[in-house]
Amino acid sequence: MMKTLSDYMRMAYRMEIVEDKEEGGYVVSYPDLQGCITCGKTIEDAVVNALDAKKAWIEAALEEGIEIHEPDNLEDYSGQFKLRIPRSLHRSLSEHSKREGISMNQYCVYLLSKNDAVYSK
């Protein structure tokens, strides 16, 4: 069954808001709607503009027959994955986590989060 504009507008698409330090204001995009981007002088203006941009983007995609991806859903992720690492790295992570007084799992989450933040910029 083909979805309508209303169907897509009700979906919870993830919105990313980034401060534009050079020009001022805020830039907003929807990662699941490639190329759907707008801006605003304030966060509130940017969000209002983003909803308008989302509607216009979806309308154009429907008219042109462009595939519209449904939003990514956190329910699709368990929060767990298995990772094989060298024994020497395992030992090092274990020692560092003991020194910090936290579990190795917590330490690895900290390291992954810290590194992910660097690449997310």
Side-chain angles (χ1 to χ4, degrees), residues 64-107:
E64 298 294 321
I66 296 170
E67 181 181 3
I68 303 171
H69 297 283
E70 292 191 14
D72 192 16
N73 185 347
L74 281 179
E75 299 299 317
D76 294 338
Y77 303 93
S78 68
Q80 298 179 17
F81 67 96
K82 190 173 188 171
L83 180 66
R84 298 246 181 239
I85 59 175
R87 290 175 189 226
S88 59
L89 178 57
H90 190 172
R91 178 181 59 213
S92 178
L93 291 170
S94 179
E95 290 170 355
H96 287 115
S97 64
K98 285 178 187 169
R99 236 180 283 139
E100 293 295 324
I102 57 176
S103 72
M104 192 169 73
N105 190 61
Q106 288 175 310
Y107 186 66

Side-chain angles (χ1 to χ4, degrees), residues 4-95:
T4 66
L5 173 63
S6 295
D7 294 329
Y8 285 111
M9 290 301 291
R10 282 192 297 273
M11 292 181 185
Y13 284 93
R14 181 169 49 98
M15 183 186 294
E16 289 186 352
I17 303 173
V18 178
E19 184 178 8
D20 186 341
K21 295 187 186 219
E22 290 180 18
E23 300 287 323
Y26 298 86
V27 176
V28 183
S29 64
Y30 292 94
D32 294 319
L33 302 175
Q34 188 176 15
C36 184
I37 186 168
T38 189
C39 60
K41 290 185 188 258
T42 66
I43 290 177
E44 293 79 11
D45 289 342
V47 168
V48 169
N49 292 344
L51 294 173
D52 289 341
K54 175 183 167 186
K55 182 178 180 191
W57 190 98
I58 292 170
E59 284 174 333
L62 288 170
E63 286 176 16
E64 298 294 321
I66 296 170
E67 181 181 3
I68 303 171
H69 297 283
E70 292 191 14
D72 192 16
N73 185 347
L74 281 179
E75 299 299 317
D76 294 338
Y77 303 93
S78 68
Q80 298 179 17
F81 67 96
K82 190 173 188 171
L83 180 66
R84 298 246 181 239
I85 59 175
R87 290 175 189 226
S88 59
L89 178 57
H90 190 172
R91 178 181 59 213
S92 178
L93 291 170
S94 179
E95 290 170 355

